């Protein structure tokens, strides 16, 4: 019987992010980091694979990323400033937060405050 695993592409598709995001998460959060990306179950010719039943674990890992608001509470100063600028440009709060989430997922090498600053600077141009 053939066993099926999710590779980086399968994880990316399941989470609605790019394959590049998954690759960056793995390199940015190695096993010795404070928030390590879940270790693969198998590696074949250097390509990692995770059992499909571990997808929920990977989603929990992603939701716990710094800057994703996992702790709840008041938004960071960077997010508050970003939301003020977004509102000044006519974006509703929900739209602005969805855009911020999309950019933080597309650029996993940047922290949320860095993405906020980058977007604000783009609006100033």
């Amino acid at each position: 019987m053939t066993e099926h695993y999710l590779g980086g592409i399968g994880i990316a598709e399941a989470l609605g992010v790019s394959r590049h995001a998954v690759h960056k998460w793995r390199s940015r959060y190695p096993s010795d980091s404070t928030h390590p990306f879940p270790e693969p179950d198998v590696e074949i010719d250097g390509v990692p694979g995770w059992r499909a039943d571990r997808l929920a674990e990977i989603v929990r890992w992603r939701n716990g990323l710094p800057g994703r608001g996992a702790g709840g509470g008041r938004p960071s100063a960077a997010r508050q400033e970003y939301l003020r600028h977004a509102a000044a440009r006519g974006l509703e709060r929900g739209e602005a937060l969805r855009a911020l989430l999309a950019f933080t997922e597309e650029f996993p090498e940047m922290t949320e405050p860095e993405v906020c600053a980058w977007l604000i600077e783009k609006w100033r141009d």
Side-chain angles (χ1 to χ4, degrees), residues 20-83:
H20 178 71
V22 175
H23 173 74
K24 292 300 278 188
W25 287 336
R26 290 196 68 224
S27 61
R28 186 169 188 184
Y29 301 100
S31 60
D32 62 347
S33 71
T34 58
H35 189 66
F37 190 85
E39 288 292 318
D41 296 301
V42 66
E43 192 169 303
I44 300 171
D45 293 332
V47 178
W50 293 262
R51 290 186 327 268
D53 64 355
R54 292 189 61 210
L55 188 57
E57 173 190 354
I58 295 168
V59 169
R60 282 191 305 278
W61 173 88
R62 182 184 73 162
N63 290 342
L65 280 173
R68 289 195 55 86
R74 186 177 174 158
S76 68
R79 184 183 281 198
Q80 288 178 32
E81 182 181 3
Y82 162 76
L83 290 172

Side-chain angles (χ1 to χ4, degrees), residues 73-116:
R74 186 177 174 158
S76 68
R79 184 183 281 198
Q80 288 178 32
E81 182 181 3
Y82 162 76
L83 290 172
R84 280 193 300 275
H85 282 270
R89 279 151 188 80
L91 287 171
E92 294 178 6
R93 182 180 173 85
E95 293 173 314
L97 290 173
R98 284 190 298 277
L100 180 58
L101 176 61
F103 278 108
T104 56
E105 287 178 346
E106 188 61 31
F107 300 103
E109 68 277 7
M110 296 171 67
T111 64
E112 182 178 287
E114 290 171 333
V115 171
C116 289

